[in-house]
Amino acid sequence: MKLFRKLLLIVLVLILIAVIVLGIIGFTTYSKALEEKPLLTRTGEITEDEHYVPFSELSEDYIHAVISVEDRRYYDHGAVDFIGIARAIWTNIRTGKLQEGGSTITQQVAKNLVFTQEETLTRKMGEIFAAIDLENKFSKDEIFALYVNSAYFGEGYYGIYDASMGYYNKEPKDLNLDEASMLAGVPNAPSVYAPTVNPDLANERQAHVLKTMVENGYISQEQADEIINNKKI
């Protein structure tokens, strides 16, 4: 029993040391990024763009679709959602597909605005500190708008305005459920899910988005089935 306790204590100490080291790495990485360009300068480049779309001018279906598929607990957690990370891991293992990510919408904004898309531990830790900073400086609705205005939607479309106009020739506030659920699924893998690249895979991704919307109570199963059946997914 004493040996077990000693081993447990050693493991806990090692974990604590690892957390401290990773924290230092993350803070240093984020600090260096801010030296290159402050956070408010980065966000200003998005909000001052002539095609920036504020939260109030996004369609309700689109907002619900993005939250459902990207971060269903968005308004209930802080910069990092550990419950969401665990759920995403389980979902991906269970389905055998990379359908959900563990990053919050705020973390994705941090990645889009501050860091590269390179998946490294150093970048991931810096992303967490950037996400915390974002949540301290902006409201949830503002962060959501930063996300959809900085996300890449394939075909050279950066931001929801260009994507909505490019794919459907309409402004984001006018997107219907079919269009909104399609666009909500694209940023996960634009080169794969852009509707003009591979319609079949795009439709499969849209079906997943609709499924999450049903699970979160935003739409009925009948509404989802109508869209899915019309496309014969």
Side-chain angles (χ1 to χ4, degrees):
M1 180 63 75
K2 288 183 179 181
L3 178 60
F4 174 77
R5 289 178 179 175
K6 287 182 179 180
L7 290 174
L8 180 60
L9 179 60
I10 291 173
V11 170
L12 292 175
V13 170
L14 290 175
I15 291 174
L16 178 60
I17 292 173
V19 170
I20 293 173
V21 171
L22 289 174
I24 293 173
I25 291 173
F27 181 77
T28 301
T29 301
Y30 180 50
S31 296
K32 287 182 178 179
L34 292 186
E35 289 176 3
E36 297 175 6
K37 186 185 294 185
L39 180 63
L40 293 181
T41 300
R42 295 172 185 269
T43 57
E45 291 174 350
I46 302 297
T47 59
E48 293 169 12
D49 185 87
E50 63 175 327
H51 290 153
Y52 172 77
V53 183
F55 185 86
S56 60
E57 294 182 19
L58 295 167
S59 82
E60 190 173 75
D61 281 332
Y62 180 65
I63 293 170
H64 292 165
V66 173
I67 289 176
S68 292
V69 75
E70 293 291 346
D71 190 354
R72 67 182 68 186
R73 298 182 61 252
Y74 178 60
Y75 287 98
D76 299 322
H77 61 66
V80 180
D81 181 17
F82 295 103
I83 294 176
I85 292 173
R87 184 189 64 248
I89 291 173
W90 168 244
T91 298
N92 293 335
I93 291 174
R94 179 171 53 82
T95 61
K97 298 179 180 179
L98 189 60
Q99 291 189 329
E100 294 187 16
S103 294
T104 64
I105 285 176
T106 309
Q107 285 176 272
Q108 293 183 63
V109 172
K111 180 171 65 175
N112 291 342
L113 270 60
V114 182
F115 300 101
T116 66
Q117 302 299 307
E118 184 182 6
E119 293 290 341
T120 65
L121 181 59
T122 299
R123 196 274 297 160
K124 197 69 177 178
M125 294 308 299
E127 177 187 293
I128 291 174
F129 281 89
I132 292 172
D133 201 7
L134 281 165
E135 296 250 345
N136 287 334
K137 288 182 169 64
F138 299 95
S139 68
K140 286 286 191 177
D141 288 354
E142 290 171 331
I143 293 172
F144 184 94
L146 285 170
Y147 170 64
V148 301
N149 281 277
S150 63
Y152 181 54
F153 291 82
E155 295 289 4
Y157 300 136
Y158 283 90
I160 185 58
Y161 179 86
D162 285 352
S164 183
M165 293 297 295
Y167 287 121
Y168 299 114
N169 195 30
K170 59 172 59 177
E171 295 189 8
K173 63 183 176 63
D174 298 321
L175 291 172
N176 60 35
L177 177 58
D178 184 3
E179 298 156 346
S181 57
M182 175 62 76
L183 290 185
V186 175
N188 179 265
S191 62
V192 176
Y193 296 132
T196 52
V197 173
N198 192 321
D200 289 338
L201 289 179
N203 289 340
E204 287 182 12
R205 177 63 177 171
Q206 181 185 30
H208 175 66
V209 174
L210 291 166
K211 177 176 178 290
T212 64
M213 293 182 75
V214 172
E215 292 172 347
N216 288 287
Y218 289 124
I219 61 173
S220 66
Q221 186 63 58
E222 288 71 24
Q223 288 175 289
D225 289 342
E226 182 178 0
I227 293 174
I228 293 172
N229 292 335
N230 285 341
K231 297 189 177 185
K232 298 180 181 180
I233 297 177

